[in-house]
């Protein structure tokens, strides 16, 4: 403790007296200075996340320093268009959707030295990023409809000739055609 009162605050660098002191990672803070560096929410021992000399709430810390990419959403049932630019994060450009270019749809013909190969991009699929569907192993990012690019799950896919489709595109392209097989209630379609 330096001469003249108490320790210096990790935020404002002023003296912190015992009655207003909050300690974190061996540093002292005023209760009023113990705020997230990004959103300015009040923090406590259960909500603080420290990075070097900066303190964050767990949400802002996760956005700034946590894992990025497919499968790391904001929580159950949430959709977010936040790219993190406000936190100094540069958004990644997503690769354009490409249908499978592999002429041989057999999963046994796609083995390379015992490891699975994604039929969409032709690269090795490792266990951490593997999704199985349509009899093949896919990267999570490649597990999309060949027509519209919509992300798929094992319950929402239909496969044909080694390619995977969402149920809507599969029905439009390979389903029955003619009278009575319209797109919606009461619709009639004339197939040419």
């Amino acid at each position: 403790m330096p001469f003249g009162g108490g320790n210096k605050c990790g935020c404002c660098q002023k003296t912190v007296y015992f009655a207003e002191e909050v300690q974190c990672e061996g540093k002292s803070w005023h209760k009023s200075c113990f705020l997230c560096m990004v959103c300015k929410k009040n923090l406590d021992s259960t909500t603080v996340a420290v990075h070097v000399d900066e303190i964050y709430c767990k949400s802002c810390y996760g956005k700034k320093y946590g894992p990025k990419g497919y499968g790391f959403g904001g929580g159950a049932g949430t959709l977010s268009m936040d790219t993190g630019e406000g936190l100094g994060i540069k958004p990644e450009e997503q690769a354009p959707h490409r249908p499978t270019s592999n002429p041989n749809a057999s999963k046994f013909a796609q083995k390379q030295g015992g490891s699975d190969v994604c039929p969409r991009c032709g690269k090795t699929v490792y266990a951490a990023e593997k999704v199985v569907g349509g009899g093949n192993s896919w990267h999570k990012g490649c597990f999309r409809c060949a027509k519209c690019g919509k992300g798929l799950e094992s319950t929402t896919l239909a496969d044909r000739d080694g390619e995977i489709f969402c149920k809507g595109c599969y029905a439009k392209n390979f389903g029955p055609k003619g009278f009575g097989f319209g797109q919606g209630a009461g619709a009639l379609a004339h197939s040419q």
Side-chain angles (χ1 to χ4, degrees):
M1 184 180 299
F3 182 74
N7 295 320
K8 299 293 180 191
C9 176
C11 179
C12 69
Q13 302 305 314
K14 294 182 181 174
T15 301
V16 181
Y17 296 99
F18 181 75
E20 59 184 1
E21 183 178 39
V22 176
Q23 290 193 341
C24 177
E25 297 282 316
K27 291 189 174 192
S28 297
W29 306 78
H30 293 108
K31 287 180 185 175
S32 60
C33 292
F34 200 60
L35 306 171
C36 174
M37 305 286 279
V38 175
C39 68
K40 306 298 183 205
K41 286 183 185 172
N42 286 319
L43 301 173
D44 61 38
S45 62
T46 62
T47 60
V48 70
V50 180
H51 184 81
V52 189
D53 289 336
E54 300 172 334
I55 56 174
Y56 300 93
C57 66
K58 291 187 176 182
S59 176
C60 290
Y61 180 87
K63 288 177 186 172
K64 190 163 184 173
Y65 300 107
K68 311 279 186 295
Y70 186 85
F72 296 104
T78 61
L79 291 175
S80 175
M81 298 303 288
D82 181 13
T83 59
E85 289 174 350
L87 302 172
I89 300 169
K90 292 184 172 96
E92 289 182 22
E93 288 294 322
Q94 189 172 358
H97 169 71
R98 299 181 333 197
T100 303
S101 58
N102 188 343
N104 190 343
S106 166
K107 75 176 185 178
F108 299 108
Q110 297 173 9
K111 295 282 184 179
Q112 262 185 344
S115 62
D116 292 320
V117 175
C118 177
R120 177 85 21 96
C121 67
K123 295 180 181 174
T124 303
V125 181
Y126 298 99
E129 57 188 359
K130 182 176 180 177
V131 180
V132 178
N136 290 312
S137 297
W138 306 78
H139 294 107
K140 288 180 184 178
C142 294
F143 198 61
R144 300 183 164 281
C145 175
K147 290 287 183 191
C148 68
K150 177 181 175 185
L152 299 173
E153 296 176 10
S154 61
T155 59
T156 62
L157 82 92
D159 68 310
R160 181 176 176 129
D161 301 327
E163 192 55 271
I164 54 176
F165 302 90
C166 67
K167 290 188 176 183
C169 287
Y170 185 87
K172 282 183 202 168
N173 292 288
F174 308 110
K177 309 256 187 306
F179 286 109
F181 296 104
Q183 295 296 321
L188 289 175
H190 294 281
S191 182
Q192 306 253 334

